[in-house]
Amino acid sequence: MAAALAEDPSLRVLVVEAGPWNRNPLVAVPKGFVRTMFDPRISLEYPALPAREPGPVDVWRRGRGVGGSTLINGTMYLRGESHLYDGLADHLGADWSWPAFGRAFDHLEAVLPVSAPPSEPSSEPPSEVLRALIAGLGETGVPLVPDVRAAVGPRVGRTPATIRGGMRRSAATLLRPGLRAGNLRVLTGQTTVRVLTAGDRAVGVETVLADGSRIRHHARRQVVLTAGTLETPSLLERSGIGDPDRLRHLGIDPVVSAPRVGEGLREQRGATVKARIRFGLGLNGRLGTTRGLLGAAAQYLVTRSGPLASGPYPLAASVDSTGGNRPDLQLLLTDISTDGTGLEPADHAGLMIQAYALSPYSTGSVHAANTDPCRPPHVRAPLLEDPRDRDAAARALKTARAALAAPALSGVVIDEELPGVSVAGGDDEAAAAFVRTSGGGIYHAVGTCAAGGPDAVVDEQLRVRGIDGLHVADLSVLPTHPSGGTAAVAMALGHLAGSRIREGR
Ligand SMILES: Cc1cc2nc3c(=O)[nH]c(=O)nc-3n(C[C@H](O)[C@H](O)[C@H](O)COP(=O)(O)OP(=O)(O)OC[C@H]3O[C@@H](n4cnc5c(N)ncnc54)[C@H](O)[C@@H]3O)c2cc1C
């Protein structure tokens, strides 16, 4: 968003970021996220309690620093599904349709490198396990395509990733032209406490530094919030924009009554199917032993290639579980398996398929815990409360299992490790319970300041209702998910919002 604003040399853009410029060298290593996502300097934890019924407590994470979550994410760059963007445009208006997002993706990819065949023909050919997975999906009716970005409908292909030359490129890359031109400035280590208002207009922000001192930044034209789905609603609430009763309870004077602030949280709930595979196949031997890991590290250091140079799931598939042409499931597939629920490689050869419904219906909420901007908000996570989500979870599990059982994998797979015999095939209730209890939020939350409808927090131009000069331009404005990933979507949304604000729309 800031990069798009700064494309107009007559505008001066100030980015206020709570975290630092990243200094952890592991951030550049694509597989380094298994360590960096636990680095408290650039990653924050958000305990996510069940929204309604008793259930598991998740820990959600977000990146903190210039580049946000793209500093620690899996680098997967999934544009998404055209029919889901059509659904979004029903809420946000035709300006937010698939063709508009398509143009934004093209624009971004000219600055932010995205490795995807055919743009990176030199990338390593798929391993025997990945080839078998592709063939297995083909046998279940999901065709291989050269570039999953360029196609619609059911498809499988190499996962596009924000990697170039074996190194992660975060969203901070997008700021370079503005920084070079000199009309974009970034202030780090300043947490925005609240939006400053004069009458019914936003006029700036107040920030707090690590030593507790406070600074006021005045905005001549616009204040745009991009703190993300988990932080933007609390920031609005601290600014007096939210449900008046809730605000008074927190000791905040209401400025604008906006009861939907923080409500409508939707998250994709991923469940992983694991299989043991033939000894010697896949990456467990290379990344799960000290010797193998040293070899992979040496290969990476010398050639910037090998298993450390790619993201977590080399294959991405969009599947329509009803047999049609409108994918409702995302499958992410890899030729390594992890130990238990952690991120360490298992001590045996394995593969994993993460499967999830693209469009969850169940909702949760996020609200400020108090007036302290450094305290994590209260997150109430949806847990498949809506029966449509339980059905979709069962279909996701069934689809992943069908791929594993395809004849093309018979020479590769030994047996299913997870969920294994604990969930009998055909038992949809047990399958949904498995996803509910062993699955987790996958850091893709949207919806907490959603557009659409008479009581929406923002209008179709993403202006916060009831106050002038204030926009929200992050995933919190999306009422539903248009993709199986949110990184590409967040950047394209920011680009579209920034371009429109720049043009005075
Ligand atoms: C571990 C992990 C793995 C992921 N993997 C993938 C993946 O492979 N593919 C994919 O598509 N998606 C992935 N995602 C999700 C995706 O990266 C995010 O949805 C997306 O980057 C969110 O972008 P955003 O700009 O909306 O918010 P964020 O990335 O959360 O950025 C918000 C920024 O605002 C700052 N901020 C927050 N509050 C304040 C405040 N009060 N004052 C000042 N600054 C503030 C934060 O420090 C942060 O830098 C992953 C996310 C995580 C956490």
Side-chain angles (χ1 to χ4, degrees), residues 323-334:
N325 205 34
R326 294 155 64 91
D328 59 344
L329 301 178
Q330 182 79 56
L331 262 54
L332 300 171
L333 307 98
T334 183

Side-chain angles (χ1 to χ4, degrees), residues 415-491:
D415 61 0
E416 184 183 297
E417 189 182 358
L418 195 77
V421 288
S422 65
V423 177
D427 185 345
D428 287 358
E429 225 167 272
F434 168 75
V435 176
R436 190 171 179 279
T437 50
S438 3
I442 51 172
Y443 319 120
H444 289 174
V446 301
T448 52
C449 299
D455 58 351
V457 176
V458 295
D459 68 13
E460 291 182 358
Q461 301 306 320
L462 311 189
R463 293 175 295 214
V464 176
R465 289 203 159 128
I467 190 142
D468 287 338
L470 184 61
H471 284 78
V472 175
D474 58 34
L475 296 171
S476 66
V477 301
L478 299 184
T480 56
H481 292 84
S483 168
T486 40
V489 180
M491 292 187 275

Side-chain angles (χ1 to χ4, degrees), residues 17-18 61 63-65 68-69 73-76 192 227 443 475 485-487:
E17 166 56 53
R61 290 180 183 280
R64 181 176 176 274
S69 298
N73 74 4
T75 69
M76 291 174 286
T192 303
Y443 319 120
L475 296 171
T486 40

Side-chain angles (χ1 to χ4, degrees), residues 16-19 33 37 43-44 46 60-78 171 190-193 207 226-232 235 238 312 373 442-445 473-476 483-491 493:
V16 179
E17 166 56 53
F33 78 93
M37 63 189 277
S43 175
L44 281 189
Y46 295 85
W60 292 3
R61 290 180 183 280
R62 289 297 179 274
R64 181 176 176 274
V66 184
S69 298
T70 65
L71 292 173
I72 57 164
N73 74 4
T75 69
M76 291 174 286
Y77 180 93
L78 300 167
Q190 296 201 24
T191 303
T192 303
V193 181
T207 64
T226 58
T229 301
L230 300 187
E231 292 286 359
T232 293
L235 177 45
R238 290 196 300 274
I442 51 172
Y443 319 120
H444 289 174
D474 58 34
L475 296 171
S476 66
S483 168
T486 40
V489 180
M491 292 187 275
L493 173 81

Side-chain angles (χ1 to χ4, degrees), residues 80-81 83-85 87-88 229 264-269 356-362 382 442-447 475 478-486 489:
E81 311 301 326
H83 70 279
L84 298 181
Y85 283 93
L88 258 193
T229 301
L265 171 76
R266 294 194 195 204
E267 170 64 314
Q268 293 163 332
R269 192 160 185 84
Y356 49 95
L358 287 165
S359 298
Y361 293 91
S362 310
I442 51 172
Y443 319 120
H444 289 174
V446 301
L475 296 171
L478 299 184
T480 56
H481 292 84
S483 168
T486 40
V489 180

Side-chain angles (χ1 to χ4, degrees), residues 215-230:
I215 300 180
R216 292 180 163 211
H217 301 283
H218 291 277
R220 233 173 274 156
R221 296 271 291 269
Q222 287 290 328
V223 175
V224 190
L225 305 183
T226 58
T229 301
L230 300 187

